[in-house]
Amino acid sequence: PAFEPMAENKARIELARRYFTHFGPATVKDAAYFFGTTQTKVKSWLKQLPVIETSLDGKSYFYIDNGLSAGELPDCLFLAGFDQLMLGYEKTESLFLPREHMRDIFNLAGIVRPAILVNGTVVGWWNLKNRKLKITLFSPADQRLISNTATALWRDLKQIEYL
C-alpha cells in the first residue's frame, strides 16, 4: 500500500500507544528512558491514551489492555544481549534486574550483556562460543534448572561452565 507519513506528534502518540500496550505496565520514567524524552512529554502522551493505572510499592504503572492474558514467564530464560526486556525500562528501576547488579549487565562501555532470567529475576549473564557456554552468576540460582534450559535450547552444547 502507498505510504502516508503521519504528523510528528501523531506518530509519537502512536509509538507511545504501542509501548504501553506491549511493554506495560511501565512507569513514566521507564517510558521517558525508552523514548529519550522528558517525563513531562510522556505525561502529555498518557493524557491522550486509553491507559490503565496501577500501583506497586508506591509507584504508578501504566498500561493499555490488549485483550491478552498476562501469561506466565518460563522458570528460566536466556535473554539476548541488548534484549528489549532490559532496554524497555529505566535500568536503575527495573522490576527484573536487581539494582546492585545493574553494572553486571549494563557495562560502562555501553554493552548490554545477555542476561539469564530465573523466576523473573536476572541472576547472571552468559556467553556461548564454539558450543561452550560460560555462565557468570551474581545471585544464587538453580544451576540444574539453568543447565537443563541451556541444553534444551542448544542441543549441540559441548560444555557448560559456571564462573
Side-chain angles (χ1 to χ4, degrees):
F3 173 73
E4 288 189 39
M6 298 172 102
E8 183 178 349
N9 190 52
K10 187 175 178 182
R12 291 190 188 282
I13 299 286
E14 176 59 19
L15 290 171
R17 183 192 64 76
R18 292 177 186 187
Y19 175 83
F20 285 104
T21 300
H22 300 289
F23 281 81
T27 65
V28 169
K29 194 172 183 179
D30 290 331
Y33 170 78
F34 183 81
F35 288 107
T37 192
T38 65
Q39 293 181 48
T40 301
K41 181 56 93 176
V42 171
K43 288 176 186 176
S44 75
W45 297 339
L46 289 173
K47 291 177 184 175
Q48 301 173 64
L49 294 169
V51 293
I52 299 167
E53 183 177 354
T54 189
S55 298
L56 177 67
D57 296 333
K59 291 183 185 177
S60 292
Y61 290 83
F62 301 89
Y63 67 97
I64 297 174
D65 187 358
N66 61 9
L68 300 174
S69 63
E72 301 247 344
L73 281 175
D75 293 335
C76 180
L77 281 172
F78 283 80
L79 303 177
F82 297 92
D83 192 274
Q84 288 300 303
L85 192 62
M86 297 293 99
L87 296 175
Y89 307 93
E90 205 288 322
K91 59 189 167 198
T92 61
E93 297 188 12
S94 172
L95 294 173
F96 308 100
L97 178 61
R99 189 178 202 143
E100 64 270 19
H101 298 298
M102 184 189 71
R103 284 288 167 233
D104 294 312
I105 299 299
F106 291 87
N107 76 21
L108 294 173
I111 303 298
V112 182
R113 290 189 175 108
I116 301 171
L117 195 71
V118 174
N119 298 319
T121 301
V122 175
V123 297
W125 61 279
W126 61 274
N127 181 32
L128 179 64
K129 187 174 182 181
N130 298 325
R131 298 185 322 196
K132 294 180 183 175
L133 180 63
K134 293 184 180 181
I135 296 173
T136 302
L137 295 177
F138 43 75
S139 295
D142 183 344
Q143 290 185 13
R144 184 170 36 181
L145 171 65
I146 294 169
S147 294
N148 288 344
T149 302
T151 55
L153 187 58
W154 297 289
R155 297 206 179 268
D156 64 343
L157 279 178
K158 288 184 189 176
Q159 176 184 0
I160 299 175
E161 179 182 0
Y162 287 87
L163 306 172

